[in-house]
């Protein structure tokens, strides 16, 4: 009976969905980019990963390239399901920093303006490899790492490697984590995430029902009320996910959630054991990492991690919702 019901729902949604299906080329999508997003796109370059995959990255020099005294760079790791563009507000503030060689960010494979292959094993370990490869190619030796959401997990893996006699080709001087599910036992995924993890349903939903209207509704929920995303920003987030038919790849990229559960202890230990000074900046109005549990868990389970809690009105995207405060906190920490 249950099977029959599920089957019927799937078939009906397929029929309705294909009626609404609207595939868009990248050029069509670009027409509705805001000026900010166009700017972001134009600032970028491509790094070719594993000889075939194009990875979109941005590097901006704040100091002379040929500075003989090697200054650190700032590296920004973005979250799921969005892209490096999450950092565009913070980027403009970080550019004022002195004693920084460059600021670097990129879209992981499967995200933003990077390639989004459908026959690819997406994983946190692979994302950490991407960071290492890109920084090697950009000749970066030491970094201040700033991460958000799934980026936190990538940063934890990089810290784990750093703890092991530095298996990375660069040195992490300081680490800043923004809202991310570093405790898998207090993590509460939103319904869209659950759907994307449900076999069959995820493929249909991401192909036929990844609509601006639905996206707007579910994505807005993770923001606090201080500065909810504008209509323009929501469309930009949406379009950068859709770029390169990115909606189709969401059921694959979200697999990181399983890895996070599997390696939760290893990655927590890495944070607990590292000598790298770590700051966690937390927006408490976050339905995914709830305020009733999260700060307390940091204090008891990660006593070496410094915690800054933002205003009650800031949610899951602190770097977007309260960029200036986040910048001030980061500046003081560096
Ligand atoms: C981290 O280390 C502290 C002791 O310094 C310990 O109390 C805590 O349980 C550890 N956390 C984890 C996640 O193992």
């Amino acid at each position: 009976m249950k099977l029959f019901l599920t089957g019927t729902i799937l078939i009906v949604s397929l029929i309705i969905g294909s009626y609404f299906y609207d595939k868009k080329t990248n050029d069509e999508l670009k027409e509705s980019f805001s000026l900010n997003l166009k700017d972001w796109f134009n600032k970028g370059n491509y790094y070719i990963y594993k000889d075939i995959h194009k990875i979109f990255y941005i590097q901006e020099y704040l100091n002379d390239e040929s500075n003989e005294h090697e200054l650190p760079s700032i590296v920004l790791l973005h979250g799921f399901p969005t892209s490096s563009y999450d950092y565009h507000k913070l980027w403009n503030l970080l550019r004022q920093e002195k004693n920084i060689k460059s600021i670097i960010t990129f879209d992981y494979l499967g995200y933003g303006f990077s390639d989004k292959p459908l026959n690819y094993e997406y994983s946190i370990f692979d994302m950490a490899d991407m960071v290492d490869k890109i920084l090697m190619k950009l000749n970066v030796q030491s970094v201040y790492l700033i991460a958000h959401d799934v980026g936190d997990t990538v940063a934890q893996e990089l810290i784990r490697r750093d703890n092991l006699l530095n298996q990375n080709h660069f040195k992490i001087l300081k680490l800043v984590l923004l809202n991310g599910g570093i405790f898998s036992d207090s993590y509460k995924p939103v319904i869209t995430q659950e759907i994307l993890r449900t076999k069959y349903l995820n493929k249909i939903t991401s192909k036929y029902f990844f609509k601006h209207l639905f996206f707007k509704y579910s994505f807005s929920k993770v923001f606090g009320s201080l500065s909810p995303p504008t209509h323009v920003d929501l469309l930009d987030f949406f379009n950068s996910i859709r770029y390169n038919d990115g909606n189709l790849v969401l059921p694959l990229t979200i697999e990181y959630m399983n890895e996070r559960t599997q390696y939760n202890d290893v990655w927590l230990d890495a944070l607990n054991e590292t000598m790298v000074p770590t700051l966690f900046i937390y927006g408490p109005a976050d339905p995914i990492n709830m305020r009733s549990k999260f700060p307390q868990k940091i204090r008891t389970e990660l006593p070496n991690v410094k915690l800054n809690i933002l205003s009650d009105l800031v949610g899951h995207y602190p770097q977007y919702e309260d960029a200036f405060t986040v910048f001030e906190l980061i500046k003081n920490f560096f």
Side-chain angles (χ1 to χ4, degrees), residues 246-274:
N247 44 311
L248 302 182
V249 91
L250 292 172
L252 302 177
T253 47
I254 201 164
E255 283 291 310
Y256 79 86
M257 282 175 58
N258 299 335
E259 277 180 290
R260 206 164 53 184
T261 311
Q262 189 181 349
Y263 298 100
N264 181 60
D265 294 349
V266 175
W267 284 330
L268 273 182
D269 285 347
L271 274 188
N272 213 13
E273 284 160 16
T274 186

PDB file of all heavy atoms in Angstrom, residues 246-274:
ATOM      1  N   GLY A 246      23.142  23.123 -12.286  1.00  0.00           N
ATOM      2  CA  GLY A 246      23.565  22.721 -10.945  1.00  0.00           C
ATOM      3  C   GLY A 246      22.480  22.103 -10.094  1.00  0.00           C
ATOM      4  O   GLY A 246      22.780  21.365  -9.153  1.00  0.00           O
ATOM      5  N   ASN A 247      21.208  22.376 -10.405  1.00  0.00           N
ATOM      6  CA  ASN A 247      20.146  21.758  -9.606  1.00  0.00           C
ATOM      7  C   ASN A 247      20.217  20.235  -9.690  1.00  0.00           C
ATOM      8  O   ASN A 247      19.921  19.537  -8.733  1.00  0.00           O
ATOM      9  CB  ASN A 247      18.765  22.274 -10.027  1.00  0.00           C
ATOM     10  CG  ASN A 247      18.571  22.356 -11.532  1.00  0.00           C
ATOM     11  OD1 ASN A 247      19.424  22.906 -12.242  1.00  0.00           O
ATOM     12  ND2 ASN A 247      17.494  21.803 -12.015  1.00  0.00           N
ATOM     13  N   LEU A 248      20.662  19.704 -10.850  1.00  0.00           N
ATOM     14  CA  LEU A 248      20.704  18.249 -11.028  1.00  0.00           C
ATOM     15  C   LEU A 248      21.730  17.575 -10.120  1.00  0.00           C
ATOM     16  O   LEU A 248      21.628  16.386  -9.815  1.00  0.00           O
ATOM     17  CB  LEU A 248      21.037  17.909 -12.494  1.00  0.00           C
ATOM     18  CG  LEU A 248      20.087  18.470 -13.539  1.00  0.00           C
ATOM     19  CD1 LEU A 248      20.507  18.011 -14.922  1.00  0.00           C
ATOM     20  CD2 LEU A 248      18.658  18.010 -13.243  1.00  0.00           C
ATOM     21  N   VAL A 249      22.703  18.339  -9.690  1.00  0.00           N
ATOM     22  CA  VAL A 249      23.805  17.747  -8.953  1.00  0.00           C
ATOM     23  C   VAL A 249      23.585  17.814  -7.426  1.00  0.00           C
ATOM     24  O   VAL A 249      24.293  17.168  -6.649  1.00  0.00           O
ATOM     25  CB  VAL A 249      25.125  18.454  -9.404  1.00  0.00           C
ATOM     26  CG1 VAL A 249      25.447  19.643  -8.556  1.00  0.00           C
ATOM     27  CG2 VAL A 249      26.269  17.494  -9.469  1.00  0.00           C
ATOM     28  N   LEU A 250      22.540  18.533  -7.013  1.00  0.00           N
ATOM     29  CA  LEU A 250      22.293  18.701  -5.573  1.00  0.00           C
ATOM     30  C   LEU A 250      22.163  17.383  -4.804  1.00  0.00           C
ATOM     31  O   LEU A 250      22.707  17.251  -3.707  1.00  0.00           O
ATOM     32  CB  LEU A 250      21.051  19.576  -5.335  1.00  0.00           C
ATOM     33  CG  LEU A 250      21.187  21.053  -5.751  1.00  0.00           C
ATOM     34  CD1 LEU A 250      19.839  21.763  -5.645  1.00  0.00           C
ATOM     35  CD2 LEU A 250      22.214  21.768  -4.889  1.00  0.00           C
ATOM     36  N   PRO A 251      21.460  16.360  -5.363  1.00  0.00           N
ATOM     37  CA  PRO A 251      21.383  15.088  -4.625  1.00  0.00           C
ATOM     38  C   PRO A 251      22.757  14.445  -4.426  1.00  0.00           C
ATOM     39  O   PRO A 251      22.929  13.626  -3.532  1.00  0.00           O
ATOM     40  CB  PRO A 251      20.512  14.205  -5.522  1.00  0.00           C
ATOM     41  CG  PRO A 251      19.745  15.141  -6.382  1.00  0.00           C
ATOM     42  CD  PRO A 251      20.632  16.337  -6.587  1.00  0.00           C
ATOM     43  N   LEU A 252      23.730  14.812  -5.259  1.00  0.00           N
ATOM     44  CA  LEU A 252      25.073  14.242  -5.109  1.00  0.00           C
ATOM     45  C   LEU A 252      25.918  15.066  -4.141  1.00  0.00           C
ATOM     46  O   LEU A 252      26.590  14.526  -3.260  1.00  0.00           O
ATOM     47  CB  LEU A 252      25.787  14.186  -6.470  1.00  0.00           C
ATOM     48  CG  LEU A 252      25.099  13.393  -7.568  1.00  0.00           C
ATOM     49  CD1 LEU A 252      25.886  13.482  -8.866  1.00  0.00           C
ATOM     50  CD2 LEU A 252      24.960  11.938  -7.140  1.00  0.00           C
ATOM     51  N   THR A 253      25.868  16.393  -4.301  1.00  0.00           N
ATOM     52  CA  THR A 253      26.725  17.213  -3.430  1.00  0.00           C
ATOM     53  C   THR A 253      26.276  17.145  -1.971  1.00  0.00           C
ATOM     54  O   THR A 253      27.089  17.265  -1.075  1.00  0.00           O
ATOM     55  CB  THR A 253      26.772  18.682  -3.914  1.00  0.00           C
ATOM     56  OG1 THR A 253      25.449  19.128  -4.182  1.00  0.00           O
ATOM     57  CG2 THR A 253      27.611  18.823  -5.169  1.00  0.00           C
ATOM     58  N   ILE A 254      24.987  16.910  -1.740  1.00  0.00           N
ATOM     59  CA  ILE A 254      24.510  16.876  -0.347  1.00  0.00           C
ATOM     60  C   ILE A 254      24.983  15.632   0.404  1.00  0.00           C
ATOM     61  O   ILE A 254      24.884  15.558   1.632  1.00  0.00           O
ATOM     62  CB  ILE A 254      22.969  16.991  -0.276  1.00  0.00           C
ATOM     63  CG1 ILE A 254      22.559  17.479   1.112  1.00  0.00           C
ATOM     64  CG2 ILE A 254      22.296  15.672  -0.627  1.00  0.00           C
ATOM     65  CD1 ILE A 254      21.166  17.981   1.234  1.00  0.00           C
ATOM     66  N   GLU A 255      25.553  14.681  -0.319  1.00  0.00           N
ATOM     67  CA  GLU A 255      26.107  13.471   0.304  1.00  0.00           C
ATOM     68  C   GLU A 255      27.099  13.782   1.430  1.00  0.00           C
ATOM     69  O   GLU A 255      27.370  12.945   2.284  1.00  0.00           O
ATOM     70  CB  GLU A 255      26.826  12.625  -0.749  1.00  0.00           C
ATOM     71  CG  GLU A 255      25.893  11.842  -1.637  1.00  0.00           C
ATOM     72  CD  GLU A 255      25.198  10.745  -0.871  1.00  0.00           C
ATOM     73  OE1 GLU A 255      25.880   9.980  -0.180  1.00  0.00           O
ATOM     74  OE2 GLU A 255      23.950  10.664  -0.941  1.00  0.00           O
ATOM     75  N   TYR A 256      27.637  14.986   1.423  1.00  0.00           N
ATOM     76  CA  TYR A 256      28.594  15.345   2.476  1.00  0.00           C
ATOM     77  C   TYR A 256      27.987  15.156   3.861  1.00  0.00           C
ATOM     78  O   TYR A 256      28.694  14.927   4.833  1.00  0.00           O
ATOM     79  CB  TYR A 256      29.076  16.798   2.307  1.00  0.00           C
ATOM     80  CG  TYR A 256      28.094  17.828   2.796  1.00  0.00           C
ATOM     81  CD1 TYR A 256      28.076  18.218   4.139  1.00  0.00           C
ATOM     82  CD2 TYR A 256      27.155  18.403   1.952  1.00  0.00           C
ATOM     83  CE1 TYR A 256      27.157  19.137   4.600  1.00  0.00           C
ATOM     84  CE2 TYR A 256      26.246  19.323   2.402  1.00  0.00           C
ATOM     85  CZ  TYR A 256      26.248  19.687   3.727  1.00  0.00           C
ATOM     86  OH  TYR A 256      25.326  20.579   4.178  1.00  0.00           O
ATOM     87  N   MET A 257      26.653  15.231   3.940  1.00  0.00           N
ATOM     88  CA  MET A 257      26.022  15.096   5.258  1.00  0.00           C
ATOM     89  C   MET A 257      26.261  13.710   5.854  1.00  0.00           C
ATOM     90  O   MET A 257      26.401  13.564   7.072  1.00  0.00           O
ATOM     91  CB  MET A 257      24.533  15.412   5.170  1.00  0.00           C
ATOM     92  CG  MET A 257      24.302  16.923   5.118  1.00  0.00           C
ATOM     93  SD  MET A 257      22.586  17.427   4.872  1.00  0.00           S
ATOM     94  CE  MET A 257      21.782  16.668   6.254  1.00  0.00           C
ATOM     95  N   ASN A 258      26.289  12.687   5.002  1.00  0.00           N
ATOM     96  CA  ASN A 258      26.583  11.336   5.505  1.00  0.00           C
ATOM     97  C   ASN A 258      28.017  11.240   6.009  1.00  0.00           C
ATOM     98  O   ASN A 258      28.285  10.650   7.051  1.00  0.00           O
ATOM     99  CB  ASN A 258      26.380  10.298   4.406  1.00  0.00           C
ATOM    100  CG  ASN A 258      24.955  10.291   3.917  1.00  0.00           C
ATOM    101  OD1 ASN A 258      24.041  10.677   4.660  1.00  0.00           O
ATOM    102  ND2 ASN A 258      24.753   9.899   2.675  1.00  0.00           N
ATOM    103  N   GLU A 259      28.917  11.844   5.236  1.00  0.00           N
ATOM    104  CA  GLU A 259      30.325  11.812   5.655  1.00  0.00           C
ATOM    105  C   GLU A 259      30.503  12.511   6.988  1.00  0.00           C
ATOM    106  O   GLU A 259      31.294  12.098   7.824  1.00  0.00           O
ATOM    107  CB  GLU A 259      31.174  12.559   4.625  1.00  0.00           C
ATOM    108  CG  GLU A 259      31.559  11.766   3.424  1.00  0.00           C
ATOM    109  CD  GLU A 259      32.392  12.633   2.497  1.00  0.00           C
ATOM    110  OE1 GLU A 259      31.814  13.559   1.901  1.00  0.00           O
ATOM    111  OE2 GLU A 259      33.599  12.396   2.386  1.00  0.00           O
ATOM    112  N   ARG A 260      29.767  13.603   7.131  1.00  0.00           N
ATOM    113  CA  ARG A 260      29.922  14.376   8.359  1.00  0.00           C
ATOM    114  C   ARG A 260      29.498  13.560   9.570  1.00  0.00           C
ATOM    115  O   ARG A 260      30.089  13.662  10.646  1.00  0.00           O
ATOM    116  CB  ARG A 260      29.110  15.659   8.255  1.00  0.00           C
ATOM    117  CG  ARG A 260      29.677  16.735   9.122  1.00  0.00           C
ATOM    118  CD  ARG A 260      29.155  18.077   8.751  1.00  0.00           C
ATOM    119  NE  ARG A 260      27.700  18.083   8.732  1.00  0.00           N
ATOM    120  CZ  ARG A 260      27.003  19.141   8.356  1.00  0.00           C
ATOM    121  NH1 ARG A 260      27.621  20.239   7.973  1.00  0.00           N
ATOM    122  NH2 ARG A 260      25.700  19.106   8.358  1.00  0.00           N
ATOM    123  N   THR A 261      28.452  12.752   9.395  1.00  0.00           N
ATOM    124  CA  THR A 261      28.037  11.890  10.493  1.00  0.00           C
ATOM    125  C   THR A 261      29.098  10.818  10.743  1.00  0.00           C
ATOM    126  O   THR A 261      29.496  10.569  11.877  1.00  0.00           O
ATOM    127  CB  THR A 261      26.691  11.205  10.155  1.00  0.00           C
ATOM    128  OG1 THR A 261      25.799  12.209   9.688  1.00  0.00           O
ATOM    129  CG2 THR A 261      26.114  10.527  11.355  1.00  0.00           C
ATOM    130  N   GLN A 262      29.568  10.239   9.643  1.00  0.00           N
ATOM    131  CA  GLN A 262      30.532   9.151   9.765  1.00  0.00           C
ATOM    132  C   GLN A 262      31.841   9.591  10.433  1.00  0.00           C
ATOM    133  O   GLN A 262      32.393   8.868  11.252  1.00  0.00           O
ATOM    134  CB  GLN A 262      30.816   8.598   8.366  1.00  0.00           C
ATOM    135  CG  GLN A 262      31.635   7.341   8.376  1.00  0.00           C
ATOM    136  CD  GLN A 262      31.909   6.837   6.958  1.00  0.00           C
ATOM    137  OE1 GLN A 262      31.315   7.314   5.973  1.00  0.00           O
ATOM    138  NE2 GLN A 262      32.814   5.892   6.850  1.00  0.00           N
ATOM    139  N   TYR A 263      32.317  10.776  10.075  1.00  0.00           N
ATOM    140  CA  TYR A 263      33.625  11.221  10.579  1.00  0.00           C
ATOM    141  C   TYR A 263      33.519  12.289  11.660  1.00  0.00           C
ATOM    142  O   TYR A 263      34.499  12.970  11.964  1.00  0.00           O
ATOM    143  CB  TYR A 263      34.490  11.743   9.423  1.00  0.00           C
ATOM    144  CG  TYR A 263      34.790  10.691   8.399  1.00  0.00           C
ATOM    145  CD1 TYR A 263      34.081  10.624   7.214  1.00  0.00           C
ATOM    146  CD2 TYR A 263      35.786   9.735   8.640  1.00  0.00           C
ATOM    147  CE1 TYR A 263      34.345   9.641   6.267  1.00  0.00           C
ATOM    148  CE2 TYR A 263      36.056   8.750   7.712  1.00  0.00           C
ATOM    149  CZ  TYR A 263      35.334   8.708   6.521  1.00  0.00           C
ATOM    150  OH  TYR A 263      35.603   7.734   5.600  1.00  0.00           O
ATOM    151  N   ASN A 264      32.322  12.436  12.211  1.00  0.00           N
ATOM    152  CA  ASN A 264      32.078  13.476  13.205  1.00  0.00           C
ATOM    153  C   ASN A 264      33.162  13.525  14.292  1.00  0.00           C
ATOM    154  O   ASN A 264      33.716  14.590  14.590  1.00  0.00           O
ATOM    155  CB  ASN A 264      30.698  13.225  13.821  1.00  0.00           C
ATOM    156  CG  ASN A 264      30.330  14.278  14.852  1.00  0.00           C
ATOM    157  OD1 ASN A 264      30.250  15.454  14.529  1.00  0.00           O
ATOM    158  ND2 ASN A 264      30.143  13.854  16.086  1.00  0.00           N
ATOM    159  N   ASP A 265      33.482  12.374  14.862  1.00  0.00           N
ATOM    160  CA  ASP A 265      34.420  12.350  15.991  1.00  0.00           C
ATOM    161  C   ASP A 265      35.834  12.716  15.559  1.00  0.00           C
ATOM    162  O   ASP A 265      36.529  13.460  16.254  1.00  0.00           O
ATOM    163  CB  ASP A 265      34.419  10.966  16.649  1.00  0.00           C
ATOM    164  CG  ASP A 265      33.078  10.663  17.288  1.00  0.00           C
ATOM    165  OD1 ASP A 265      32.260  11.617  17.394  1.00  0.00           O
ATOM    166  OD2 ASP A 265      32.833   9.498  17.658  1.00  0.00           O
ATOM    167  N   VAL A 266      36.219  12.181  14.416  1.00  0.00           N
ATOM    168  CA  VAL A 266      37.561  12.455  13.900  1.00  0.00           C
ATOM    169  C   VAL A 266      37.736  13.961  13.677  1.00  0.00           C
ATOM    170  O   VAL A 266      38.750  14.552  14.066  1.00  0.00           O
ATOM    171  CB  VAL A 266      37.759  11.718  12.560  1.00  0.00           C
ATOM    172  CG1 VAL A 266      39.096  12.080  11.935  1.00  0.00           C
ATOM    173  CG2 VAL A 266      37.629  10.222  12.749  1.00  0.00           C
ATOM    174  N   TRP A 267      36.728  14.560  13.080  1.00  0.00           N
ATOM    175  CA  TRP A 267      36.834  15.982  12.747  1.00  0.00           C
ATOM    176  C   TRP A 267      36.699  16.873  13.982  1.00  0.00           C
ATOM    177  O   TRP A 267      37.285  17.949  14.039  1.00  0.00           O
ATOM    178  CB  TRP A 267      35.823  16.343  11.647  1.00  0.00           C
ATOM    179  CG  TRP A 267      36.285  15.860  10.291  1.00  0.00           C
ATOM    180  CD1 TRP A 267      37.597  15.737   9.901  1.00  0.00           C
ATOM    181  CD2 TRP A 267      35.496  15.442   9.189  1.00  0.00           C
ATOM    182  NE1 TRP A 267      37.649  15.268   8.611  1.00  0.00           N
ATOM    183  CE2 TRP A 267      36.384  15.078   8.137  1.00  0.00           C
ATOM    184  CE3 TRP A 267      34.117  15.341   8.965  1.00  0.00           C
ATOM    185  CZ2 TRP A 267      35.942  14.628   6.894  1.00  0.00           C
ATOM    186  CZ3 TRP A 267      33.684  14.893   7.722  1.00  0.00           C
ATOM    187  CH2 TRP A 267      34.577  14.538   6.702  1.00  0.00           C
ATOM    188  N   LEU A 268      35.927  16.404  14.976  1.00  0.00           N
ATOM    189  CA  LEU A 268      35.860  17.171  16.225  1.00  0.00           C
ATOM    190  C   LEU A 268      37.194  17.094  16.961  1.00  0.00           C
ATOM    191  O   LEU A 268      37.697  18.089  17.480  1.00  0.00           O
ATOM    192  CB  LEU A 268      34.746  16.650  17.125  1.00  0.00           C
ATOM    193  CG  LEU A 268      33.354  17.243  16.887  1.00  0.00           C
ATOM    194  CD1 LEU A 268      32.373  16.653  17.882  1.00  0.00           C
ATOM    195  CD2 LEU A 268      33.363  18.764  16.982  1.00  0.00           C
ATOM    196  N   ASP A 269      37.776  15.895  16.982  1.00  0.00           N
ATOM    197  CA  ASP A 269      39.082  15.732  17.630  1.00  0.00           C
ATOM    198  C   ASP A 269      40.118  16.635  16.977  1.00  0.00           C
ATOM    199  O   ASP A 269      40.952  17.228  17.663  1.00  0.00           O
ATOM    200  CB  ASP A 269      39.561  14.274  17.532  1.00  0.00           C
ATOM    201  CG  ASP A 269      38.808  13.372  18.504  1.00  0.00           C
ATOM    202  OD1 ASP A 269      38.119  13.923  19.386  1.00  0.00           O
ATOM    203  OD2 ASP A 269      38.897  12.138  18.366  1.00  0.00           O
ATOM    204  N   ALA A 270      40.050  16.725  15.652  1.00  0.00           N
ATOM    205  CA  ALA A 270      41.017  17.565  14.935  1.00  0.00           C
ATOM    206  C   ALA A 270      40.936  19.003  15.449  1.00  0.00           C
ATOM    207  O   ALA A 270      41.954  19.642  15.706  1.00  0.00           O
ATOM    208  CB  ALA A 270      40.756  17.511  13.437  1.00  0.00           C
ATOM    209  N   LEU A 271      39.708  19.494  15.631  1.00  0.00           N
ATOM    210  CA  LEU A 271      39.531  20.861  16.137  1.00  0.00           C
ATOM    211  C   LEU A 271      39.979  20.987  17.581  1.00  0.00           C
ATOM    212  O   LEU A 271      40.489  22.015  18.010  1.00  0.00           O
ATOM    213  CB  LEU A 271      38.057  21.270  16.075  1.00  0.00           C
ATOM    214  CG  LEU A 271      37.497  21.854  14.790  1.00  0.00           C
ATOM    215  CD1 LEU A 271      36.080  22.348  15.035  1.00  0.00           C
ATOM    216  CD2 LEU A 271      38.366  22.993  14.272  1.00  0.00           C
ATOM    217  N   ASN A 272      39.774  19.920  18.323  1.00  0.00           N
ATOM    218  CA  ASN A 272      40.111  19.955  19.755  1.00  0.00           C
ATOM    219  C   ASN A 272      41.620  19.899  19.974  1.00  0.00           C
ATOM    220  O   ASN A 272      42.125  20.446  20.941  1.00  0.00           O
ATOM    221  CB  ASN A 272      39.445  18.751  20.454  1.00  0.00           C
ATOM    222  CG  ASN A 272      39.026  19.070  21.875  1.00  0.00           C
ATOM    223  OD1 ASN A 272      39.007  20.231  22.274  1.00  0.00           O
ATOM    224  ND2 ASN A 272      38.715  18.036  22.634  1.00  0.00           N
ATOM    225  N   GLU A 273      42.301  19.252  19.042  1.00  0.00           N
ATOM    226  CA  GLU A 273      43.731  19.014  19.258  1.00  0.00           C
ATOM    227  C   GLU A 273      44.629  20.039  18.585  1.00  0.00           C
ATOM    228  O   GLU A 273      45.818  20.115  18.885  1.00  0.00           O
ATOM    229  CB  GLU A 273      44.093  17.617  18.723  1.00  0.00           C
ATOM    230  CG  GLU A 273      43.629  16.522  19.657  1.00  0.00           C
ATOM    231  CD  GLU A 273      43.516  15.175  18.955  1.00  0.00           C
ATOM    232  OE1 GLU A 273      44.074  15.024  17.838  1.00  0.00           O
ATOM    233  OE2 GLU A 273      42.859  14.289  19.522  1.00  0.00           O
ATOM    234  N   THR A 274      44.078  20.802  17.650  1.00  0.00           N
ATOM    235  CA  THR A 274      44.946  21.665  16.864  1.00  0.00           C
ATOM    236  C   THR A 274      45.567  22.806  17.690  1.00  0.00           C
ATOM    237  O   THR A 274      44.998  23.247  18.686  1.00  0.00           O
ATOM    238  CB  THR A 274      44.173  22.281  15.670  1.00  0.00           C
ATOM    239  OG1 THR A 274      45.098  22.985  14.865  1.00  0.00           O
ATOM    240  CG2 THR A 274      43.077  23.205  16.135  1.00  0.00           C
TER     241      THR A 274
END
